[in-house]
Amino acid sequence: MSSGRPGGPEAFEVTSRDGTAIRGVRRPGPGEPLVLVHGVAMDRRIWYESGFLEALGVDAHVITVDLRGRGESEKVGSAEGHGIDRYVEDLRAVFDRFGARRYGVFGTYFGGRIALAAAGTDPRVARAFSFCAHGEEVEIPEGAVEEEARAVEGPDGHRYLRDHFTRKGAPPWMVEACGRVDRDELGAATRGLLYGSDRRTERGHPDQELVLITAEGDADLAPFHAGEKRLGARLWLVGSPTRVRAAGRLAEVGRRLARKEAGS
Ligand SMILES: CC(C)[C@@H]1NC(=O)[C@@H]2CCCN2C(=O)C/N=C(\N[C@H](C(=O)N[C@@H](Cc2ccccc2)C(=O)N[C@H](CC(=O)O)C2=N[C@H](C(=O)O)CS2)C(C)C)[C@H](C(C)C)NC1=O
């Protein structure tokens, strides 16, 4: 006799378009599923450790995914295998698996950029939230990317990232996450930025809801305001001096999202 309440969390595995195994966990619930997409030096555990998942509330229908090369998902090892279109294919494989007509997608940093890219190409994305990454065209500094790829794949790669984020005032969950990512995959994912992540994202369809979130102290608010105009996106600002420090406010954004759901 079902208690009427949805079952517990269930692990899943899907195969992305290029054959890469993508794994994650779905926590069933009423309403539209929300797919959570982590950033480059992270995995799906950040949603638990940041308090974001708890902030969404026990009834939220949530799907947390390990992008290729991170967490439990299959490693790819090549920069081409870490192009932004591959990440969007990872998400589309998840959308296919659960067969919903509409999904929300919420991503942090580059995960937010992926959420916006998915919204621009897959009509099933009804809502996309990008935490601290905008959708405008960017100049990818090849030199800096190659330099950073060398740093993160080197023997001190984890220390490089942990020191950087500690210095920048990132919360512990974000610093710790760096150490969980395979260094070869970190290097490949960094070089992967050269494969399509410079492109601006487009609005997918008129009634899609796009939300850009960044720090009120963000030194470069212009591309976020550009997104309000060009994409008709909403802009949420969190009380933080920088984008990296805004990670400490992720749970607060989860509560705002939960209130919004309750209101809608
Ligand atoms: C500072 C350094 C530790 C950090 N490196 C990381 O952390 C991870 C680990 C290794 C590679 N890493 C990247 O991220 C790639 N490297 C960069 N990417 C630039 C960038 O602007 N990225 C955006 C997202 C984005 C991407 C492509 C297109 C648009 C937007 C972003 O959100 N950056 C913030 C930092 C910030 O906002 O100041 C963070 N990104 C992390 C994440 O995405 O998980 C968590 S914090 C692009 C333009 C070349 C820069 C650049 C110096 C090489 N280095 C970083 O950014």
Side-chain angles (χ1 to χ4, degrees), residues 214-225:
T214 195
E216 64 189 20
D218 187 340
D220 188 16
L221 279 173
F224 290 89
H225 288 308

Side-chain angles (χ1 to χ4, degrees), residues 39-40 109-110 113 138 148 161 164-165 174 190 193 197 243:
V40 178
Y109 301 105
F110 190 45
R113 185 93 169 168
V138 298
E148 182 158 272
L161 287 172
H164 172 86
F165 286 120
M174 187 159 158
T190 305
L193 289 169
S197 71
R243 287 191 298 261

